[in-house]
Amino acid sequence: MLKSLYSGVSGMKGFQTKLDVIGNNIANVNTVGFKKSRVMFQDIINQNISGATAPTSISGGVNSKQIGLGSKVASIDTIHTPGSPMTTNVGTDLAIDGDAFFVVTPQTGGGVSYLTRAGNFTLDANGSLVNSNGYYVAGVAVDNNGVQHQIPITISDDQKSNQKFTSYSIDSNGYINVVREDGKSGKLAMDLTTNQYYLNNSTTANQNENISLATSVVPNPGGLKKVGNTLFEETGNSGLANTGRILDNKGGQIDTGVLEMSNVDLTDEFTEMIVAQRGFQANAKTITTSDSILDEIVNLKR
């Protein structure tokens, strides 16, 4: 059988994968925090018709003769360029200007954590800061021994004074500034001995107990695995996540009242769609041409 038949099939499969990725990118053009993907190709193997020969004193060298046997998908990369910011003026809409990710977890008692750039958070009925799937947004506080604790963020009331918080705001370093019903203001903190949330208005004492949003920086963001719901999880090739305060892991700064939108560029996607479509058609034409040649061969004996 003609090798071009199988080369054409491999090309069609590759361009079909490319179209699938492009379709997913376009479908998520307005998804908050979405990171687009791209497909890269490479050739498969080559059949050696003859090897190369080195030049001698009486003759020149000859290059090898090889016939390629198609292409395959080399990688599907996730592109972590920043998306366009969209101003919402909602206090719980957050965006990171930098390389860090927000950290969310399905359970309050720890367990698995996910990374995300989607900062469309809200407060639930208990005053806990959650994402659109109900996952708790992780906060960070440090005990007296310098041990960092990952805790949920609950902006409800001062459990030491039994007074409610009347307003709150999140600053660029991820700290939660709160105002109590008696008019006192300070930072939301947690007494890690009693697990009580309280207002800390001291500029010197218990500063480590101030709660800030947990952020995570990974050495290779492209190695993160997409798990759906605009969430990522660590893999062996992403490297270990450095989770903590955004000031400590140098992940950038947090913008309040802003959302990071998808980094999909429709101009690029439609251009790549044309390339993929024509590539698919060209490979299909290779198959039909090979079929015509085979038909001529079969018709030689009549």
Side-chain angles (χ1 to χ4, degrees):
M1 299 292 287
L2 296 176
K3 300 180 183 68
S4 55
L5 278 172
Y6 301 104
S7 295
V9 169
S10 68
M12 290 177 68
K13 288 181 178 179
F15 281 112
Q16 180 61 60
T17 301
K18 185 178 180 71
L19 283 169
D20 292 340
V21 171
I22 292 172
N24 182 62
N25 288 342
I26 294 175
N28 287 282
V29 68
N30 285 325
T31 301
V32 177
F34 178 79
K35 299 303 178 184
K36 67 180 180 180
S37 300
R38 69 178 182 187
V39 178
M40 304 302 291
F41 298 112
Q42 65 184 19
D43 61 347
I44 304 179
I45 58 175
N46 292 275
Q47 181 182 5
N48 290 320
I49 304 301
S50 64
T53 58
T56 65
S57 59
I58 59 175
S59 64
V62 178
N63 295 329
S64 60
K65 300 180 180 68
Q66 296 177 301
I67 300 176
L69 299 177
S71 65
K72 65 178 180 180
V73 174
S75 65
I76 301 177
D77 304 321
T78 302
I79 310 301
H80 284 272
T81 54
S84 300
M86 180 181 72
T87 302
T88 65
N89 294 321
V90 177
T92 54
D93 283 348
L94 307 174
I96 294 179
D97 183 8
D99 299 327
F101 293 81
F102 297 110
V103 181
V104 297
T105 178
Q107 300 173 338
T108 57
V112 64
S113 295
Y114 299 105
L115 310 182
T116 183
R117 294 282 291 193
N120 51 319
F121 304 135
T122 56
L123 295 182
D124 66 6
N126 294 326
S128 297
L129 192 64
V130 298
N131 72 352
S132 56
N133 300 105
Y135 290 6
Y136 294 96
V137 179
V140 172
V142 180
D143 62 22
N144 294 328
N145 297 320
V147 178
Q148 177 178 284
H149 294 262
Q150 186 171 305
I151 56 176
I153 299 173
T154 301
I155 312 172
S156 177
D157 52 30
D158 188 326
Q159 295 173 332
K160 288 188 174 182
S161 65
N162 292 321
Q163 297 187 63
K164 293 188 176 299
F165 296 129
T166 57
S167 65
Y168 65 91
S169 63
I170 301 172
D171 64 23
S172 60
N173 294 322
Y175 291 100
I176 299 96
N177 302 295
V178 291
V179 178
R180 211 164 51 190
E181 59 184 346
D182 61 0
K184 290 186 177 180
S185 62
K187 295 189 183 301
L188 180 68
M190 173 180 271
D191 186 331
L192 295 170
T193 303
T194 60
N195 290 332
Q196 289 180 313
Y197 294 91
Y198 70 97
L199 182 151
N200 184 13
N201 59 0
S202 172
T203 58
T204 57
N206 302 325
Q207 289 298 298
N208 285 339
E209 292 185 349
N210 291 340
I211 300 173
S212 64
L213 270 71
T215 58
S216 190
V217 176
V218 294
N220 175 28
L224 293 171
K225 177 184 176 183
K226 289 183 177 182
V227 294
N229 300 322
T230 327
L231 302 177
F232 300 89
E233 66 178 3
E234 292 180 40
T235 67
N237 197 41
S238 66
L240 294 177
N242 179 13
T243 302
R245 303 188 194 274
I246 199 166
L247 279 174
D248 297 333
N249 57 30
K250 295 178 174 56
Q253 68 176 22
I254 296 175
D255 297 327
T256 306
V258 178
L259 289 177
E260 179 184 355
M261 300 305 292
S262 169
N263 66 347
V264 174
D265 187 326
L266 284 179
T267 303
D268 292 339
E269 298 303 321
F270 282 122
T271 301
E272 289 298 314
M273 183 184 292
I274 294 172
V275 172
Q277 179 184 9
R278 295 307 181 191
F280 190 93
Q281 291 174 339
N283 280 276
K285 190 64 176 178
T286 301
I287 294 175
T288 57
T289 302
S290 300
D291 178 58
S292 299
I293 293 173
L294 288 173
D295 186 56
E296 290 296 328
I297 293 172
V298 171
N299 291 333
L300 287 177
K301 186 179 181 303
R302 279 190 176 178

